[in-house]
Every structure is written in structure tokens, then in C-alpha cells.
Short mmCIF file of all heavy atoms in Angstrom, two decimals:
data_model
loop_
_atom_site.label_atom_id
_atom_site.label_comp_id
_atom_site.label_asym_id
_atom_site.label_seq_id
_atom_site.Cartn_x
_atom_site.Cartn_y
_atom_site.Cartn_z
N ARG A 3 149.31 155.11 158.66
CA ARG A 3 149.47 155.86 157.43
C ARG A 3 149.81 157.31 157.74
O ARG A 3 149.22 157.91 158.62
CB ARG A 3 148.17 155.81 156.66
CG ARG A 3 148.38 155.53 155.22
CD ARG A 3 147.06 155.39 154.55
NE ARG A 3 146.79 156.66 153.90
CZ ARG A 3 146.06 156.76 152.81
NH1 ARG A 3 145.47 155.71 152.32
NH2 ARG A 3 145.88 157.91 152.24
N ILE A 4 150.74 157.87 157.02
CA ILE A 4 151.18 159.25 157.22
C ILE A 4 150.49 160.13 156.18
O ILE A 4 150.57 159.86 154.98
CB ILE A 4 152.71 159.36 157.10
CG1 ILE A 4 153.37 158.49 158.17
CG2 ILE A 4 153.15 160.79 157.23
CD1 ILE A 4 154.87 158.42 158.06
N ASP A 5 149.82 161.17 156.65
CA ASP A 5 149.13 162.04 155.70
C ASP A 5 150.05 163.15 155.18
O ASP A 5 151.14 163.37 155.69
CB ASP A 5 147.85 162.62 156.31
CG ASP A 5 148.11 163.55 157.48
OD1 ASP A 5 149.25 163.61 157.96
OD2 ASP A 5 147.15 164.22 157.91
N ALA A 6 149.59 163.83 154.15
CA ALA A 6 150.40 164.85 153.47
C ALA A 6 150.72 166.03 154.38
O ALA A 6 151.82 166.58 154.32
CB ALA A 6 149.68 165.33 152.21
N GLN A 7 149.76 166.42 155.22
CA GLN A 7 149.98 167.55 156.12
C GLN A 7 151.13 167.25 157.09
O GLN A 7 151.99 168.10 157.31
CB GLN A 7 148.71 167.88 156.88
CG GLN A 7 148.85 169.09 157.79
CD GLN A 7 147.58 169.40 158.55
OE1 GLN A 7 146.66 168.60 158.59
NE2 GLN A 7 147.54 170.56 159.16
N LEU A 8 151.14 166.06 157.63
CA LEU A 8 152.22 165.68 158.54
C LEU A 8 153.57 165.70 157.83
O LEU A 8 154.56 166.19 158.37
CB LEU A 8 151.94 164.30 159.13
CG LEU A 8 153.01 163.75 160.07
CD1 LEU A 8 153.16 164.65 161.31
CD2 LEU A 8 152.68 162.33 160.48
N MET A 9 153.60 165.20 156.61
CA MET A 9 154.85 165.17 155.85
C MET A 9 155.36 166.58 155.52
O MET A 9 156.56 166.78 155.40
CB MET A 9 154.68 164.35 154.57
CG MET A 9 154.52 162.87 154.83
SD MET A 9 155.83 162.17 155.85
CE MET A 9 157.23 162.38 154.79
N ARG A 10 154.45 167.54 155.40
CA ARG A 10 154.88 168.93 155.17
C ARG A 10 155.41 169.55 156.45
O ARG A 10 156.31 170.37 156.40
CB ARG A 10 153.69 169.76 154.65
CG ARG A 10 153.42 169.64 153.20
CD ARG A 10 152.49 170.73 152.70
NE ARG A 10 151.35 170.98 153.57
CZ ARG A 10 150.17 170.38 153.50
NH1 ARG A 10 149.98 169.44 152.59
NH2 ARG A 10 149.18 170.70 154.31
N HIS A 11 154.84 169.19 157.58
CA HIS A 11 155.18 169.85 158.84
C HIS A 11 156.43 169.27 159.51
O HIS A 11 157.16 170.01 160.17
CB HIS A 11 154.00 169.79 159.80
CG HIS A 11 152.88 170.68 159.41
ND1 HIS A 11 152.00 171.20 160.30
CD2 HIS A 11 152.49 171.16 158.20
CE1 HIS A 11 151.11 171.94 159.68
NE2 HIS A 11 151.40 171.93 158.39
N VAL A 12 156.70 168.00 159.33
CA VAL A 12 157.84 167.37 160.01
C VAL A 12 159.17 168.05 159.67
O VAL A 12 159.94 168.38 160.58
CB VAL A 12 157.88 165.85 159.73
CG1 VAL A 12 159.20 165.24 160.15
CG2 VAL A 12 156.74 165.16 160.46
N PRO A 13 159.49 168.31 158.41
CA PRO A 13 160.76 168.99 158.13
C PRO A 13 160.84 170.39 158.77
O PRO A 13 161.89 170.80 159.25
CB PRO A 13 160.80 169.10 156.61
CG PRO A 13 159.86 168.06 156.12
CD PRO A 13 158.82 167.92 157.17
N ARG A 14 159.72 171.09 158.82
CA ARG A 14 159.70 172.42 159.42
C ARG A 14 159.92 172.35 160.92
O ARG A 14 160.64 173.17 161.49
CB ARG A 14 158.38 173.12 159.10
CG ARG A 14 158.21 173.39 157.63
CD ARG A 14 156.85 173.91 157.31
NE ARG A 14 156.69 174.00 155.86
CZ ARG A 14 155.62 174.41 155.27
NH1 ARG A 14 154.57 174.78 155.97
NH2 ARG A 14 155.55 174.47 153.96
N VAL A 15 159.32 171.37 161.56
CA VAL A 15 159.52 171.18 163.00
C VAL A 15 160.98 170.81 163.28
O VAL A 15 161.58 171.27 164.25
CB VAL A 15 158.56 170.11 163.56
CG1 VAL A 15 158.92 169.73 164.98
CG2 VAL A 15 157.12 170.60 163.49
N MET A 16 161.56 170.02 162.40
CA MET A 16 162.97 169.64 162.58
C MET A 16 163.89 170.86 162.44
O MET A 16 164.85 170.99 163.20
CB MET A 16 163.34 168.54 161.58
CG MET A 16 162.66 167.23 161.89
SD MET A 16 162.94 165.95 160.67
CE MET A 16 164.68 165.63 160.89
N VAL A 17 163.59 171.74 161.50
CA VAL A 17 164.37 172.97 161.35
C VAL A 17 164.23 173.84 162.61
O VAL A 17 165.22 174.37 163.12
CB VAL A 17 163.96 173.74 160.08
CG1 VAL A 17 164.56 175.14 160.05
CG2 VAL A 17 164.35 172.97 158.84
N CYS A 18 163.01 173.96 163.11
CA CYS A 18 162.78 174.74 164.34
C CYS A 18 163.58 174.15 165.50
O CYS A 18 164.20 174.89 166.27
CB CYS A 18 161.29 174.75 164.71
SG CYS A 18 160.25 175.62 163.55
N SER A 19 163.57 172.84 165.61
CA SER A 19 164.30 172.17 166.69
C SER A 19 165.80 172.38 166.56
O SER A 19 166.49 172.63 167.56
CB SER A 19 163.99 170.67 166.69
OG SER A 19 162.63 170.44 166.92
N LEU A 20 166.30 172.28 165.36
CA LEU A 20 167.74 172.48 165.13
C LEU A 20 168.16 173.90 165.48
O LEU A 20 169.15 174.11 166.20
CB LEU A 20 168.08 172.17 163.67
CG LEU A 20 169.53 172.43 163.27
CD1 LEU A 20 170.45 171.44 163.98
CD2 LEU A 20 169.69 172.34 161.78
N LEU A 21 167.39 174.88 165.01
CA LEU A 21 167.72 176.28 165.31
C LEU A 21 167.60 176.58 166.80
O LEU A 21 168.43 177.32 167.35
CB LEU A 21 166.84 177.21 164.48
CG LEU A 21 167.08 177.18 162.97
CD1 LEU A 21 166.05 178.03 162.25
CD2 LEU A 21 168.49 177.62 162.64
N MET A 22 166.60 176.01 167.45
CA MET A 22 166.46 176.20 168.89
C MET A 22 167.65 175.59 169.62
O MET A 22 168.20 176.18 170.54
CB MET A 22 165.16 175.58 169.41
CG MET A 22 164.98 175.75 170.90
SD MET A 22 163.57 174.83 171.56
CE MET A 22 164.12 173.15 171.34
N GLY A 23 168.08 174.40 169.20
CA GLY A 23 169.23 173.76 169.81
C GLY A 23 170.50 174.58 169.68
O GLY A 23 171.27 174.71 170.64
N VAL A 24 170.71 175.14 168.51
CA VAL A 24 171.89 176.00 168.29
C VAL A 24 171.81 177.24 169.19
O VAL A 24 172.80 177.62 169.82
CB VAL A 24 172.00 176.40 166.80
CG1 VAL A 24 173.04 177.48 166.59
CG2 VAL A 24 172.31 175.17 165.95
N ALA A 25 170.63 177.84 169.26
CA ALA A 25 170.46 179.03 170.09
C ALA A 25 170.66 178.70 171.57
O ALA A 25 171.29 179.47 172.31
CB ALA A 25 169.08 179.64 169.87
N LEU A 26 170.14 177.56 172.01
CA LEU A 26 170.31 177.18 173.42
C LEU A 26 171.76 176.87 173.74
O LEU A 26 172.24 177.18 174.83
CB LEU A 26 169.42 175.98 173.76
CG LEU A 26 167.94 176.29 173.86
CD1 LEU A 26 167.15 175.00 174.08
CD2 LEU A 26 167.66 177.28 174.97
N ARG A 27 172.45 176.27 172.79
CA ARG A 27 173.89 175.99 172.99
C ARG A 27 174.66 177.31 173.14
O ARG A 27 175.50 177.45 174.01
CB ARG A 27 174.42 175.18 171.82
CG ARG A 27 175.84 174.79 171.94
CD ARG A 27 176.01 173.75 172.99
NE ARG A 27 177.40 173.31 172.96
CZ ARG A 27 177.97 172.64 173.90
NH1 ARG A 27 177.28 172.27 174.95
NH2 ARG A 27 179.22 172.29 173.81
N GLY A 28 174.34 178.27 172.29
CA GLY A 28 174.97 179.59 172.40
C GLY A 28 174.59 180.30 173.68
O GLY A 28 175.43 180.92 174.33
N GLY A 29 173.32 180.19 174.06
CA GLY A 29 172.87 180.79 175.31
C GLY A 29 173.55 180.17 176.52
O GLY A 29 173.92 180.87 177.47
N ALA A 30 173.73 178.86 176.49
CA ALA A 30 174.42 178.19 177.60
C ALA A 30 175.88 178.65 177.68
O ALA A 30 176.42 178.81 178.78
CB ALA A 30 174.34 176.68 177.43
N TRP A 31 176.48 178.87 176.51
CA TRP A 31 177.85 179.36 176.50
C TRP A 31 177.92 180.77 177.08
O TRP A 31 178.81 181.08 177.88
CB TRP A 31 178.40 179.33 175.07
CG TRP A 31 179.81 179.84 174.96
CD1 TRP A 31 180.94 179.19 175.31
CD2 TRP A 31 180.20 181.13 174.48
NE1 TRP A 31 182.03 179.98 175.07
CE2 TRP A 31 181.60 181.18 174.56
CE3 TRP A 31 179.51 182.22 173.99
CZ2 TRP A 31 182.32 182.31 174.17
CZ3 TRP A 31 180.23 183.33 173.59
CH2 TRP A 31 181.62 183.36 173.68
N LEU A 32 176.96 181.62 176.68
CA LEU A 32 176.93 182.99 177.21
C LEU A 32 176.63 183.03 178.70
O LEU A 32 177.10 183.92 179.41
CB LEU A 32 175.88 183.82 176.46
CG LEU A 32 176.20 184.18 175.02
CD1 LEU A 32 175.00 184.82 174.36
CD2 LEU A 32 177.41 185.09 174.95
N LEU A 33 175.85 182.08 179.17
CA LEU A 33 175.46 182.05 180.59
C LEU A 33 176.29 181.06 181.40
O LEU A 33 175.86 180.63 182.47
CB LEU A 33 173.97 181.70 180.70
CG LEU A 33 173.00 182.74 180.15
CD1 LEU A 33 171.58 182.19 180.15
CD2 LEU A 33 173.08 184.03 180.95
N ALA A 34 177.46 180.71 180.90
CA ALA A 34 178.30 179.73 181.60
C ALA A 34 178.63 180.18 183.02
O ALA A 34 178.60 179.37 183.95
CB ALA A 34 179.58 179.47 180.81
N GLY A 35 178.92 181.45 183.19
CA GLY A 35 179.24 181.96 184.53
C GLY A 35 178.06 181.83 185.48
O GLY A 35 178.19 181.21 186.55
N PRO A 36 176.90 182.39 185.13
CA PRO A 36 175.75 182.25 186.01
C PRO A 36 175.32 180.79 186.24
O PRO A 36 174.87 180.44 187.32
CB PRO A 36 174.64 183.02 185.29
CG PRO A 36 175.37 184.02 184.46
CD PRO A 36 176.64 183.34 184.05
N LEU A 37 175.49 179.94 185.23
CA LEU A 37 175.11 178.54 185.40
C LEU A 37 176.05 177.80 186.35
O LEU A 37 175.72 176.71 186.82
CB LEU A 37 175.06 177.83 184.04
CG LEU A 37 173.89 178.21 183.15
CD1 LEU A 37 174.07 177.64 181.74
CD2 LEU A 37 172.58 177.74 183.75
N ALA A 38 177.20 178.38 186.62
CA ALA A 38 178.14 177.78 187.57
C ALA A 38 178.09 178.48 188.92
O ALA A 38 178.85 178.13 189.82
CB ALA A 38 179.56 177.85 187.00
N GLY A 39 177.19 179.45 189.07
CA GLY A 39 177.12 180.23 190.30
C GLY A 39 176.29 179.56 191.38
O GLY A 39 176.09 178.35 191.40
N HIS A 40 175.80 180.40 192.29
CA HIS A 40 174.98 179.92 193.39
C HIS A 40 173.64 179.39 192.87
O HIS A 40 173.24 179.70 191.75
CB HIS A 40 174.74 181.04 194.40
CG HIS A 40 176.00 181.50 195.06
ND1 HIS A 40 176.73 180.69 195.91
CD2 HIS A 40 176.69 182.66 194.99
CE1 HIS A 40 177.79 181.33 196.33
NE2 HIS A 40 177.79 182.56 195.79
N LEU A 41 172.96 178.63 193.69
CA LEU A 41 171.73 177.96 193.27
C LEU A 41 170.68 178.92 192.71
O LEU A 41 170.09 178.66 191.66
CB LEU A 41 171.13 177.17 194.45
CG LEU A 41 169.85 176.41 194.14
CD1 LEU A 41 170.09 175.37 193.06
CD2 LEU A 41 169.30 175.77 195.39
N VAL A 42 170.46 180.05 193.36
CA VAL A 42 169.44 180.99 192.90
C VAL A 42 169.82 181.55 191.53
O VAL A 42 168.96 181.68 190.64
CB VAL A 42 169.26 182.14 193.92
CG1 VAL A 42 168.33 183.21 193.39
CG2 VAL A 42 168.75 181.59 195.25
N VAL A 43 171.09 181.82 191.33
CA VAL A 43 171.57 182.34 190.04
C VAL A 43 171.45 181.26 188.97
O VAL A 43 171.05 181.55 187.83
CB VAL A 43 173.02 182.85 190.17
CG1 VAL A 43 173.55 183.32 188.83
CG2 VAL A 43 173.09 183.95 191.21
N LYS A 44 171.75 180.02 189.32
CA LYS A 44 171.61 178.91 188.37
C LYS A 44 170.17 178.75 187.92
O LYS A 44 169.88 178.57 186.74
CB LYS A 44 172.07 177.59 189.01
CG LYS A 44 173.53 177.40 189.12
CD LYS A 44 173.81 176.04 189.73
CE LYS A 44 175.27 175.86 190.03
NZ LYS A 44 175.57 174.56 190.61
N VAL A 45 169.26 178.80 188.89
CA VAL A 45 167.84 178.65 188.57
C VAL A 45 167.37 179.78 187.65
O VAL A 45 166.64 179.54 186.68
CB VAL A 45 166.99 178.58 189.86
CG1 VAL A 45 165.51 178.69 189.55
CG2 VAL A 45 167.29 177.31 190.62
N ALA A 46 167.80 180.99 187.93
CA ALA A 46 167.42 182.13 187.09
C ALA A 46 167.98 181.97 185.67
O ALA A 46 167.26 182.19 184.69
CB ALA A 46 167.91 183.43 187.72
N ALA A 47 169.25 181.59 185.56
CA ALA A 47 169.87 181.41 184.24
C ALA A 47 169.19 180.29 183.47
O ALA A 47 168.93 180.41 182.26
CB ALA A 47 171.36 181.14 184.39
N LEU A 48 168.89 179.20 184.15
CA LEU A 48 168.22 178.08 183.49
C LEU A 48 166.81 178.47 183.06
O LEU A 48 166.35 178.07 181.99
CB LEU A 48 168.18 176.87 184.42
CG LEU A 48 167.70 175.56 183.82
CD1 LEU A 48 168.53 175.17 182.61
CD2 LEU A 48 167.73 174.46 184.85
N SER A 49 166.14 179.27 183.87
CA SER A 49 164.80 179.75 183.51
C SER A 49 164.85 180.61 182.25
O SER A 49 163.96 180.52 181.39
CB SER A 49 164.19 180.55 184.65
OG SER A 49 164.00 179.73 185.78
N VAL A 50 165.88 181.43 182.14
CA VAL A 50 166.05 182.26 180.94
C VAL A 50 166.27 181.36 179.72
O VAL A 50 165.68 181.59 178.66
CB VAL A 50 167.23 183.25 181.12
CG1 VAL A 50 167.63 183.88 179.81
CG2 VAL A 50 166.88 184.30 182.15
N LEU A 51 167.10 180.33 179.87
CA LEU A 51 167.34 179.42 178.75
C LEU A 51 166.07 178.69 178.33
O LEU A 51 165.74 178.61 177.14
CB LEU A 51 168.42 178.40 179.12
CG LEU A 51 169.86 178.87 179.06
CD1 LEU A 51 170.79 177.78 179.57
CD2 LEU A 51 170.24 179.26 177.65
N VAL A 52 165.34 178.16 179.30
CA VAL A 52 164.12 177.40 178.98
C VAL A 52 163.06 178.31 178.36
O VAL A 52 162.46 177.98 177.33
CB VAL A 52 163.58 176.69 180.24
CG1 VAL A 52 162.20 176.10 179.98
CG2 VAL A 52 164.54 175.60 180.69
N GLY A 53 162.83 179.46 178.98
CA GLY A 53 161.84 180.40 178.44
C GLY A 53 162.22 180.90 177.07
O GLY A 53 161.38 181.01 176.17
N GLY A 54 163.49 181.22 176.89
CA GLY A 54 163.97 181.68 175.58
C GLY A 54 163.84 180.60 174.52
O GLY A 54 163.44 180.87 173.39
N GLY A 55 164.18 179.37 174.89
CA GLY A 55 164.06 178.26 173.94
C GLY A 55 162.62 178.01 173.54
O GLY A 55 162.31 177.79 172.37
N LEU A 56 161.73 178.07 174.51
CA LEU A 56 160.31 177.87 174.25
C LEU A 56 159.76 178.96 173.33
O LEU A 56 159.09 178.68 172.33
CB LEU A 56 159.53 177.86 175.56
CG LEU A 56 158.06 177.57 175.52
CD1 LEU A 56 157.82 176.14 175.06
CD2 LEU A 56 157.45 177.78 176.89
N ALA A 57 160.08 180.21 173.65
CA ALA A 57 159.61 181.34 172.83
C ALA A 57 160.19 181.26 171.42
O ALA A 57 159.48 181.49 170.43
CB ALA A 57 159.99 182.66 173.50
N LEU A 58 161.46 180.91 171.32
CA LEU A 58 162.10 180.81 170.01
C LEU A 58 161.48 179.70 169.18
O LEU A 58 161.18 179.88 168.00
CB LEU A 58 163.60 180.58 170.17
CG LEU A 58 164.39 180.45 168.87
CD1 LEU A 58 164.32 181.75 168.08
CD2 LEU A 58 165.82 180.07 169.15
N PHE A 59 161.27 178.54 169.80
CA PHE A 59 160.70 177.42 169.05
C PHE A 59 159.33 177.77 168.50
O PHE A 59 159.05 177.56 167.32
CB PHE A 59 160.60 176.17 169.93
CG PHE A 59 160.04 174.99 169.18
CD1 PHE A 59 160.86 174.20 168.40
CD2 PHE A 59 158.70 174.69 169.24
CE1 PHE A 59 160.35 173.13 167.69
CE2 PHE A 59 158.17 173.62 168.54
CZ PHE A 59 159.00 172.83 167.77
N PHE A 60 158.45 178.30 169.34
CA PHE A 60 157.10 178.61 168.86
C PHE A 60 157.11 179.78 167.88
O PHE A 60 156.32 179.79 166.93
CB PHE A 60 156.14 178.84 170.02
CG PHE A 60 155.70 177.56 170.66
CD1 PHE A 60 156.07 177.25 171.95
CD2 PHE A 60 154.95 176.64 169.95
CE1 PHE A 60 155.67 176.06 172.53
CE2 PHE A 60 154.55 175.44 170.52
CZ PHE A 60 154.91 175.15 171.81
N GLY A 61 157.99 180.74 168.08
CA GLY A 61 158.11 181.83 167.11
C GLY A 61 158.56 181.31 165.76
O GLY A 61 158.01 181.69 164.71
N LEU A 62 159.55 180.43 165.76
CA LEU A 62 160.02 179.84 164.50
C LEU A 62 158.95 178.95 163.88
O LEU A 62 158.76 178.96 162.66
CB LEU A 62 161.29 179.02 164.75
CG LEU A 62 162.57 179.79 165.01
CD1 LEU A 62 163.67 178.86 165.50
CD2 LEU A 62 163.01 180.55 163.78
N ALA A 63 158.24 178.21 164.71
CA ALA A 63 157.19 177.32 164.20
C ALA A 63 156.10 178.13 163.49
O ALA A 63 155.61 177.73 162.44
CB ALA A 63 156.60 176.49 165.33
N LEU A 64 155.75 179.27 164.07
CA LEU A 64 154.76 180.13 163.42
C LEU A 64 155.34 180.74 162.14
O LEU A 64 154.67 180.78 161.10
CB LEU A 64 154.32 181.24 164.37
CG LEU A 64 153.37 180.81 165.49
CD1 LEU A 64 153.21 181.94 166.50
CD2 LEU A 64 152.04 180.38 164.93
N ALA A 65 156.57 181.22 162.21
CA ALA A 65 157.19 181.89 161.06
C ALA A 65 157.41 180.92 159.89
O ALA A 65 157.25 181.31 158.73
CB ALA A 65 158.51 182.52 161.47
N LEU A 66 157.77 179.68 160.19
CA LEU A 66 158.06 178.71 159.13
C LEU A 66 156.83 177.92 158.70
O LEU A 66 156.91 177.09 157.80
CB LEU A 66 159.16 177.74 159.60
CG LEU A 66 160.52 178.37 159.87
CD1 LEU A 66 161.49 177.31 160.38
CD2 LEU A 66 161.07 179.04 158.63
N GLY A 67 155.72 178.16 159.36
CA GLY A 67 154.49 177.47 158.98
C GLY A 67 154.38 176.05 159.49
O GLY A 67 153.61 175.25 158.97
N ALA A 68 155.16 175.72 160.51
CA ALA A 68 155.08 174.37 161.09
C ALA A 68 153.81 174.21 161.90
O ALA A 68 153.34 173.09 162.11
CB ALA A 68 156.30 174.09 161.98
N VAL A 69 153.26 175.31 162.38
CA VAL A 69 152.01 175.28 163.12
C VAL A 69 151.22 176.54 162.74
O VAL A 69 151.79 177.60 162.55
CB VAL A 69 152.27 175.21 164.65
CG1 VAL A 69 152.97 176.43 165.16
CG2 VAL A 69 151.00 174.98 165.42
N ALA A 70 149.93 176.38 162.60
CA ALA A 70 149.05 177.51 162.27
C ALA A 70 148.71 178.27 163.55
O ALA A 70 148.63 177.67 164.62
CB ALA A 70 147.78 177.01 161.61
N PRO A 71 148.54 179.59 163.48
CA PRO A 71 148.22 180.37 164.68
C PRO A 71 147.00 179.83 165.44
O PRO A 71 147.01 179.74 166.66
CB PRO A 71 147.96 181.77 164.14
CG PRO A 71 148.73 181.84 162.87
CD PRO A 71 148.69 180.45 162.31
N GLY A 72 145.96 179.44 164.73
CA GLY A 72 144.77 178.89 165.38
C GLY A 72 145.05 177.58 166.09
O GLY A 72 144.54 177.31 167.18
N GLU A 73 145.88 176.76 165.47
CA GLU A 73 146.27 175.49 166.08
C GLU A 73 147.08 175.72 167.35
O GLU A 73 146.88 175.04 168.36
CB GLU A 73 147.07 174.68 165.07
CG GLU A 73 147.38 173.27 165.50
CD GLU A 73 148.15 172.51 164.42
OE1 GLU A 73 148.30 173.02 163.29
OE2 GLU A 73 148.60 171.41 164.73
N LEU A 74 147.97 176.70 167.32
CA LEU A 74 148.78 177.02 168.50
C LEU A 74 147.89 177.52 169.63
O LEU A 74 148.08 177.12 170.78
CB LEU A 74 149.84 178.06 168.15
CG LEU A 74 150.77 178.46 169.29
CD1 LEU A 74 151.53 177.26 169.83
CD2 LEU A 74 151.74 179.54 168.82
N LYS A 75 146.92 178.36 169.32
CA LYS A 75 145.99 178.85 170.34
C LYS A 75 145.23 177.69 170.97
O LYS A 75 145.04 177.64 172.19
CB LYS A 75 145.00 179.85 169.75
CG LYS A 75 145.60 181.19 169.45
CD LYS A 75 144.56 182.10 168.83
CE LYS A 75 145.19 183.41 168.39
NZ LYS A 75 144.22 184.28 167.73
N ARG A 76 144.81 176.75 170.16
CA ARG A 76 144.08 175.58 170.64
C ARG A 76 144.97 174.73 171.56
O ARG A 76 144.53 174.27 172.62
CB ARG A 76 143.59 174.76 169.46
CG ARG A 76 142.51 173.80 169.75
CD ARG A 76 141.86 173.19 168.49
NE ARG A 76 142.76 172.88 167.38
CZ ARG A 76 142.83 173.59 166.26
NH1 ARG A 76 142.07 174.65 166.09
NH2 ARG A 76 143.64 173.24 165.29
N ILE A 77 146.22 174.56 171.20
CA ILE A 77 147.16 173.80 172.02
C ILE A 77 147.38 174.50 173.37
O ILE A 77 147.39 173.85 174.42
CB ILE A 77 148.50 173.63 171.28
CG1 ILE A 77 148.33 172.70 170.09
CG2 ILE A 77 149.58 173.09 172.21
CD1 ILE A 77 149.51 172.69 169.13
N LEU A 78 147.57 175.82 173.33
CA LEU A 78 147.84 176.57 174.57
C LEU A 78 146.61 176.61 175.48
O LEU A 78 146.77 176.65 176.70
CB LEU A 78 148.33 177.97 174.24
CG LEU A 78 149.70 178.04 173.58
CD1 LEU A 78 150.03 179.46 173.19
CD2 LEU A 78 150.77 177.47 174.48
N ARG A 79 145.43 176.60 174.92
CA ARG A 79 144.22 176.59 175.76
C ARG A 79 144.08 175.29 176.51
O ARG A 79 143.59 175.26 177.63
CB ARG A 79 142.97 176.80 174.89
CG ARG A 79 142.55 178.25 174.85
CD ARG A 79 141.21 178.40 174.19
NE ARG A 79 141.44 179.14 172.96
CZ ARG A 79 140.90 178.86 171.79
NH1 ARG A 79 140.05 177.89 171.67
NH2 ARG A 79 141.19 179.58 170.72
N ARG A 80 144.50 174.20 175.91
CA ARG A 80 144.43 172.88 176.57
C ARG A 80 145.42 172.77 177.73
O ARG A 80 145.17 172.05 178.68
CB ARG A 80 144.72 171.76 175.58
CG ARG A 80 143.60 171.48 174.66
CD ARG A 80 143.95 170.29 173.82
NE ARG A 80 142.87 169.97 172.90
CZ ARG A 80 142.95 169.01 172.03
NH1 ARG A 80 144.04 168.28 171.93
NH2 ARG A 80 141.94 168.76 171.22
N ALA A 81 146.54 173.45 177.62
CA ALA A 81 147.60 173.33 178.63
C ALA A 81 147.27 174.04 179.92
O ALA A 81 146.42 174.80 180.09
CB ALA A 81 148.90 173.87 178.08
#
């Protein structure tokens, strides 16, 4: 059974995912040169993309109400 809270949060999470995907696609385009460079440069560029995507997703999730600040703190403490 799906509860009401889950049904409210799923569309918001999907919006966060879509916006993160668009941003990562743009970031990959901007970092095309470094991503084609030497291994150390590739790793650095990929780290920027992953870190930026992670920060953007959680920032959007908080802003759009997909996750409550207390819930996010609880998730991060477990990790």
C-alpha cells in the first residue's frame, strides 16, 4: 500500500532528478575537454560532476520539500 506522504514526495523527487540530469548533461558538455584529458584530469572533472550533482539534488530536494531537513540529517548520520 502506498501512503499519502510517499505520493506527495515522488513527483518532487522526480523533478529533482530531472533537473539534476539536465545540469549534469550541461556540466559534462562544459567539461568535455577535461573529461577527454589525462587520467588525473578526468578523475578531477568527474569528481566535480558527481559532487555538483549530489549537492544540487539534495539542495533541490530541500527547496522543493521532497525531504525534510531533519530527515536529511538522519539519513546523513547513518551513512
Side-chain angles (χ1 to χ4, degrees):
R3 225 176 100 151
I4 299 175
D5 65 350
Q7 183 180 12
L8 178 63
M9 290 306 295
R10 278 194 316 270
H11 288 207
V12 167
R14 295 172 187 180
V15 170
M16 291 175 68
V17 169
C18 294
S19 298
L20 176 68
L21 293 174
M22 180 188 67
V24 169
L26 287 175
R27 182 71 174 165
W31 179 76
L32 289 172
L33 294 172
L37 288 170
H40 296 294
L41 181 61
V42 173
V43 177
K44 284 181 187 180
V45 169
L48 188 57
S49 296
V50 167
L51 281 175
V52 170
L56 184 66
L58 180 64
F59 181 84
F60 283 114
L62 287 169
L64 286 170
L66 296 177
V69 64
E73 187 178 352
L74 182 59
K75 286 178 186 177
R76 198 169 38 254
I77 291 168
L78 292 175
R79 264 190 246 137
R80 285 185 180 177

